[in-house]
């Protein structure tokens, strides 16, 4: 705040008053401050719009280069807004490598806005699309195409470049919030970088919902697009891992997980039966539709079970951890001890989000800033590391607003 005031006083010398800055810049564009997800097909993204001195700048945050999940986030400016003398605020597109050029911002509604570049020729390079692709590849992946030997991965990378570059920074953004926290949460919720095989690193939002935890994709890929719930953790069902030698045996881990999956299935069937019986009882008694006392009691029992399941984590004792033989991991530098594990499900699908299904897996909590997920069916492991960035104007006004936001971005992805 002190820096802004100092700059405002300096700006008055050039003929622009504090009132002009407030009325034409800060007040006019106040609705675009905060955290946003761009509508870029399945890929999504993470944008933070902030006041920076006498500018409003939109910073796009990018994961570190694959597979270095613990490295800090990268960021680049996509647009900026500022005052030139006594005129209206000027919008400049920052996309490309030729410096700022003319752009436009339209505030569609409170939680949605769009950007448009008016000089897209500034995005082009003298060497044509090949040079643009090589430059994008170095920035996006930190390597050349020759360094990537996996043919399928090459196809995915080329597809992403073709798809995302066609927008030329003409994008629509929808507001997102950071998840609210509670003292009972397993760890502090927030944004994490995670490994997703040939798709590279993606951004996932971890949030807690009673006896469940959800990982929602903020960036995505052609299989599971941004906005979808990539993993769900059942906090009512902790897993007791076998000793370190038996843990190396994939079939032993698979047996443990599938037993819990069957237990969860039986519990869900029993709850459905109870709900049907309660509905029949209500109809027979001609009572108005309301949440019955028995239903509240049943839900209370489940919540208690969830709390009981989480009890070991309140005083965690580290246990040795190693991936079973045959489980593929992009990053072999995962922690060799963990606090606690839970049964969970992970969303998998074919290209184009075809035939999506939730499959069983293991959520592994390593520490306050790292967790993992073993995809049982894929024999694959994802490692997640917390994004340690203080995003501005990103808090949800209420738990209800956050839940509604999650529902909206998932429906758009579907």
């Amino acid at each position: 705040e002190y820096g802004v005031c100092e700059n405002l006083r300096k700006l008055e010398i050039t003929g622009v008053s504090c009132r002009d800055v407030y009325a034409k810049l800060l007040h006019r564009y106040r609705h675009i401050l905060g955290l946003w997800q761009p509508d870029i097909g399945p890929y999504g993204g993470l944008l933070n719009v902030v006041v920076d001195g006498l500018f409003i700048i939109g910073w796009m945050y990018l994961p570190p280069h694959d597979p270095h999940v613990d490295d800090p986030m990268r960021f680049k400016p996509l647009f900026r807004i500022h005052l030139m003398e006594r005129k209206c605020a000027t919008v400049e597109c920052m996309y490309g490598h030729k410096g700022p050029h003319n752009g436009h911002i339209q505030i569609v509604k409170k939680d949605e806005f769009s950007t448009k570049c008016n000089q897209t020729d500034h995005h082009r390079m003298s060497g044509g699309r090949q040079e643009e692709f090589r430059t994008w590849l170095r920035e996006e992946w930190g390597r050349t195409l020759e360094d990537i030997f996996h043919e399928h991965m090459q196809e995915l990378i080329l597809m992403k470049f073709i798809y995302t570059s066609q927008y030329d920074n003409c994008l629509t953004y929808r507001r997102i919030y950071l998840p609210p926290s509670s003292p009972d949460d397993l760890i502090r919720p927030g944004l994490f970088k995670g490994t997703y095989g040939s798709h590279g690193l993606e951004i996932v939002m971890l949030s807690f919902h009673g006896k469940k935890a959800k990982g929602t994709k903020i960036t995505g890929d052609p299989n599971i697009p941004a906005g979808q719930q990539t993993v769900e953790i059942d906090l009512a069902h902790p897993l007791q891992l076998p000793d370190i030698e038996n843990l190396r045996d994939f079939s032993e881990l698979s047996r443990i997980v599938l037993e819990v999956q069957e237990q969860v299935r039986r519990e869900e069937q029993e709850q459905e039966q109870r709900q049907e019986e309660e509905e029949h009882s209500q109809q027979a008694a001609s009572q108005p539709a309301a949440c019955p006392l028995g239903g509240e009691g049943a839900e209370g029992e489940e919540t208690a079970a969830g709390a009981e399941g989480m009890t070991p984590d309140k005083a965690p004792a580290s246990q040795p951890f190693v991936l079973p033989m045959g489980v593929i991991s992009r990053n072999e530098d995962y922690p060799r001890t963990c606090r606690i594990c839970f049964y969970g499900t992970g969303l998998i699908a074919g290209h184009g989000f075809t035939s999506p299904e939730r499959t069983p897996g293991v959520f592994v909590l390593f520490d306050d800033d790292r967790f993992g997920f073993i995809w049982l069916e894929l024999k694959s492991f994802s490692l997640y590391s917390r994004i340690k960035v203080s995003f501005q104007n990103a808090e949800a006004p209420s738990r209800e607003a956050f839940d509604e936001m999650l529902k909206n971005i998932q429906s758009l992805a579907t």
Side-chain angles (χ1 to χ4, degrees):
E1 292 178 356
Y2 175 76
V4 172
C5 292
E6 281 294 296
N7 286 329
L8 288 176
R9 281 194 285 270
K10 292 176 183 178
L11 191 61
E12 285 188 308
I13 299 174
T14 66
V16 181
S17 68
C18 297
R19 181 176 295 179
D20 287 335
V21 173
Y22 177 76
K24 298 177 181 179
L25 182 67
L26 301 180
H27 182 74
R28 179 179 177 184
Y29 290 100
R30 68 193 185 281
H31 290 311
I32 71 169
L33 300 178
L35 211 55
W36 303 84
Q37 185 183 51
D39 183 6
I40 314 180
Y43 298 106
L46 182 66
L47 181 88
N48 193 202
V49 183
V50 301
V51 176
D52 188 351
L54 298 176
F55 292 87
I56 290 177
I57 302 180
W59 294 99
M60 180 69 84
Y61 280 81
L62 308 168
H65 294 140
D66 179 54
H68 307 293
V69 71
D70 285 325
D71 284 359
M73 294 286 284
R74 299 173 293 126
F75 52 93
K76 63 180 181 181
L78 287 193
F79 62 83
R80 70 181 186 185
I81 314 168
H82 62 104
L83 285 181
M84 298 295 288
E85 298 178 353
R86 292 184 178 276
K87 298 179 182 179
C88 294
T90 300
V91 177
E92 292 178 321
C93 175
M94 305 289 285
Y95 189 78
H97 298 269
K98 295 183 179 179
H101 46 283
N102 188 26
H104 176 72
I105 287 180
Q106 180 180 1
I107 301 176
V108 181
K109 50 188 177 182
K110 184 180 179 182
D111 293 326
E112 185 176 318
F113 76 95
S114 61
T115 58
K116 179 182 179 182
C117 176
N118 296 329
Q119 295 177 283
T120 55
D121 56 300
H122 279 62
H123 306 166
R124 306 283 77 86
M125 290 185 170
S126 57
R129 294 288 277 175
Q130 287 188 345
E131 183 185 356
E132 291 170 17
F133 175 62
R134 286 194 296 268
T135 302
W136 176 86
L137 187 59
R138 285 195 301 269
E139 294 176 349
E140 184 86 3
W141 291 83
R143 62 184 80 176
T144 66
L145 198 61
E146 291 73 26
D147 297 330
I148 302 168
F149 302 108
H150 198 293
E151 187 175 341
H152 178 57
M153 192 172 182
Q154 290 181 347
E155 292 173 355
L156 290 171
I157 289 172
L158 184 59
M159 183 189 311
K160 184 174 183 179
F161 169 74
I162 293 172
Y163 193 99
T164 57
S165 62
Q166 69 180 333
Y167 284 89
D168 268 332
N169 209 22
C170 300
L171 296 167
T172 297
Y173 296 86
R174 295 181 179 87
R175 185 181 297 279
I176 58 176
Y177 300 114
L178 293 178
S181 61
S182 164
D184 296 329
D185 292 340
L186 189 64
I187 58 173
R188 180 166 55 88
L191 297 173
F192 291 76
K193 306 151 282 183
T195 55
Y196 278 88
S198 298
H199 296 297
L201 299 189
E202 299 184 14
I203 301 173
V204 169
M205 177 183 289
L206 179 69
S207 57
F208 292 91
H209 309 261
K211 62 180 181 177
K212 300 284 187 182
K214 299 178 181 180
T216 303
K217 281 196 173 187
I218 301 302
T219 63
D221 54 66
N223 291 83
I224 307 297
Q228 288 294 339
Q229 186 182 313
T230 175
V231 294
E232 182 175 276
I233 302 101
D234 190 340
L235 300 173
H237 291 89
L239 294 177
Q240 182 62 50
L241 295 181
D243 60 70
I244 197 70
E245 289 304 318
N246 286 325
L247 183 56
R248 297 180 188 276
D249 183 357
F250 179 80
S251 61
E252 176 64 13
L253 178 65
S254 180
R255 179 190 64 79
I256 293 171
V257 174
L258 294 179
E259 284 181 358
V260 176
Q261 182 189 37
E262 178 60 24
Q263 178 187 347
V264 170
R265 188 188 64 81
R266 288 197 304 268
E267 290 173 358
E268 289 175 347
Q269 285 183 338
E270 291 170 0
Q271 181 166 349
E272 288 176 3
Q273 291 175 355
R274 285 198 301 268
Q275 288 175 344
E276 289 177 1
E277 292 170 359
E278 288 161 1
E279 290 173 1
H280 289 320
S281 298
Q282 285 179 351
Q283 292 172 358
S286 299
Q287 293 179 354
C291 196
L293 184 61
E296 290 176 354
E299 187 171 337
E301 290 170 8
E302 290 169 2
T303 303
E308 182 180 350
M310 288 176 60
T311 300
D313 186 65
K314 299 307 177 182
S318 293
Q319 55 183 314
F321 176 81
V322 66
L323 285 176
M325 297 293 291
V327 174
I328 301 170
S329 175
R330 294 285 294 176
N331 193 328
E332 293 297 330
D333 190 25
Y334 60 87
R336 290 321 196 256
T337 60
C338 67
R339 289 185 184 174
I340 192 169
C341 299
F342 291 92
Y343 170 78
T345 59
L347 184 63
I348 64 174
H351 188 87
F353 197 48
T354 54
S355 306
E357 60 174 322
R358 303 211 68 86
T359 60
V362 181
F363 172 84
V364 186
L365 179 64
F366 295 114
D367 52 45
D368 288 341
D369 296 323
R370 289 177 297 179
F371 65 87
F373 191 83
I374 301 175
W375 308 76
L376 213 62
E377 187 167 321
L378 301 178
K379 282 194 172 182
S380 177
F381 174 72
S382 291
L383 177 64
Y384 301 82
S385 179
R386 185 182 299 277
I387 295 175
K388 297 177 181 179
V389 177
S390 297
F391 294 107
Q392 298 180 30
N393 305 297
E395 301 302 322
S398 65
R399 164 62 72 170
E400 292 73 24
F402 175 78
D403 291 340
E404 185 67 22
M405 179 274 297
L406 274 189
K407 187 187 304 181
N408 288 341
I409 64 172
Q410 184 170 351
S411 64
L412 289 168
T414 305

